[in-house]
Amino acid sequence: MDLNILAMLVWTLSGSVLLFVLMYVDSLFTKYKDFAEVKAGNMAVTTRMVMKLFAQGYVLATSISTAGHLGEALLVSVVSFVILLILESVVHFMIRTRANLDLDTGIQQGKTGYGLFSGALHIVGALIIAACL
């Protein structure tokens, strides 16, 4: 097998495992059970989760294209996840206190606009992080 194909398989598998782990860890920080809500058809939770997955995938793809080693690319993705998690918490807190808008509760209640807003925060954060790589 060509070495490039083998490397592509290893990088893809490693990235996929990392993204699954990051999405699972993210679900531990929400007020609700993400996967149960997705199974129940909550489109707000699903929308936020899909947008967050896209954001993390974009950062991982960018880090892979700029990294010299797999470990470096995975580390950048983990660090970006932490940055995005902190950014989300800070912005959610500011919006809750300043605008009296609780995104987490709205997402749990199935308000898709709340999920879109929260997911957009991740995408914008990912674009900024990726531009720094």
Side-chain angles (χ1 to χ4, degrees), residues 27-100:
S27 74
L28 299 175
F29 287 92
T30 60
K31 293 180 178 179
Y32 42 85
K33 305 278 188 223
D34 286 20
F35 296 108
E37 291 289 336
V38 169
K39 281 177 71 175
N42 186 328
M43 285 305 296
V45 172
T46 304
T47 300
R48 177 195 169 274
M49 185 178 278
V50 166
M51 293 175 81
K52 181 157 181 111
L53 179 61
F54 174 81
Q56 281 303 135
Y58 183 75
V59 170
L60 180 60
T62 303
S63 67
I64 286 172
S65 70
T66 60
H69 302 286
L70 176 60
E72 179 185 347
L74 298 177
L75 179 62
V76 167
S77 191
V78 169
V79 170
S80 73
F81 170 78
V82 172
I83 291 170
L84 289 172
L85 191 64
I86 292 168
L87 174 67
E88 178 185 33
S89 297
V90 169
V91 171
H92 279 219
F93 174 77
M94 289 173 41
I95 291 172
R96 188 172 50 253
T97 58
R98 302 282 189 236
N100 198 27

Side-chain angles (χ1 to χ4, degrees), residues 8 11 13 15-16 26 30 35 40 65 84 90 96 107 120 133:
M8 182 176 60
W11 284 61
L13 179 62
S16 298
D26 177 68
T30 60
F35 296 108
S65 70
L84 289 172
V90 169
R96 188 172 50 253
I107 292 168
L133 299 178

